[in-house]
Amino acid sequence: MSRRTPLPPPPPPAEIRTWPDREAMLADRAGVLRGLTGQLLGVPRLLLFLLQLAGLQLGWGLVGAGLAGFDRLDPLSAVLLGVCVALGLAVLVPLGLLAGFGVRRDLRIRRLLAQWSALDLDPARDSRLGAPGRSLAWFVVSFLLAAFGLWVSFAAPAAARPGSWTYGEVAYFMGVGVLCWVAGLTGVAKAVAHYRWAARLTSVVPAAVAPGEARG
């Protein structure tokens, strides 16, 4: 697997900037913002997000297989339960850490987007940073995941009946729902936050231009 593209540094302080002119600075600014937007909302990032969720569900499924046999323990079942739980945790823990690192990286990207966009206004290039197609894809996929997870989280315990469902089975389905719900909320928050950032970036242009036009 190839390494992730390293993140650019924040813009240099005003006293040590070496751009020859404003146009050179705007070109670098546009390139950085475009690259950061691609890393935040790109299709590979969405596929990785879904693969991580699938891996977490696989790990939880192994744990759930052990939980399902909890009520009918015998020596062989106890061994199988332990093996399933150990394998499930071996999948869940590293993938959970990777998901946490991904959220942390997204926060760094959003901070860099704010820092680089604050250098200047460039309405011609900034209008393309909203990435509406990618933002919509993230929002729709994440919203469906969150809605499905919320439904499963409530439907599983509501459908459980004594003698037909074990506590382990209820816990498993609730875990499936919670994983989908949390992942979906994370994706929705990312898409909405980027849309709001891009909207604020372009909405300040009329306010910045209007006084100059009025004086002209």
Side-chain angles (χ1 to χ4, degrees):
M1 182 182 292
S2 60
R3 292 183 178 180
R4 284 185 176 183
T5 304
L7 296 179
E15 59 270 15
I16 62 171
R17 292 174 186 169
T18 58
W19 286 294
D21 51 41
R22 179 173 180 267
E23 184 56 36
M25 183 271 291
L26 289 178
D28 284 350
R29 172 185 177 274
V32 171
L33 293 180
R34 186 166 56 250
L36 289 172
T37 299
Q39 291 190 58
L40 186 68
L41 296 174
V43 174
R45 184 69 184 87
L46 178 58
L47 294 177
L48 179 61
F49 168 75
L50 294 175
L51 283 174
Q52 285 178 340
L53 177 58
L56 288 170
Q57 292 289 6
L58 173 62
W60 179 246
L62 292 171
V63 174
L67 293 176
F70 186 80
D71 294 339
R72 45 183 182 274
L73 279 181
D74 54 61
L76 179 59
S77 297
V79 172
L80 292 176
L81 183 151
V83 171
C84 287
V85 171
L87 288 175
L89 291 177
V91 174
L92 281 173
V93 172
L95 284 179
L97 290 175
L98 282 177
F101 292 147
V103 172
R104 183 178 178 182
R105 181 182 173 88
D106 288 346
L107 292 175
R108 289 177 57 199
I109 291 176
R110 289 174 58 187
R111 188 158 51 244
L112 287 169
L113 284 170
Q115 292 170 342
W116 278 93
S117 62
L119 283 175
D120 204 338
L121 294 177
D122 189 7
R125 296 185 178 105
D126 290 348
S127 60
R128 297 190 290 269
L129 294 174
R134 287 175 288 177
S135 295
L136 182 61
W138 268 93
F139 181 84
V140 171
V141 170
S142 300
F143 178 82
L144 292 176
L145 282 174
F148 173 76
L150 193 62
W151 175 76
V152 172
S153 297
F154 284 99
R161 295 292 182 272
S164 60
W165 286 53
T166 66
Y167 290 111
E169 289 170 340
V170 174
Y172 166 71
F173 282 107
M174 290 186 67
V176 168
V178 169
L179 285 174
C180 289
W181 182 59
V182 172
L185 285 182
T186 302
V188 167
K190 176 193 289 194
V192 171
H194 185 78
Y195 174 81
R196 292 180 63 185
W197 168 78
R200 286 196 302 267
L201 191 62
T202 54
S203 66
V204 298
V205 173
V209 174
E213 291 177 343
R215 287 194 300 269

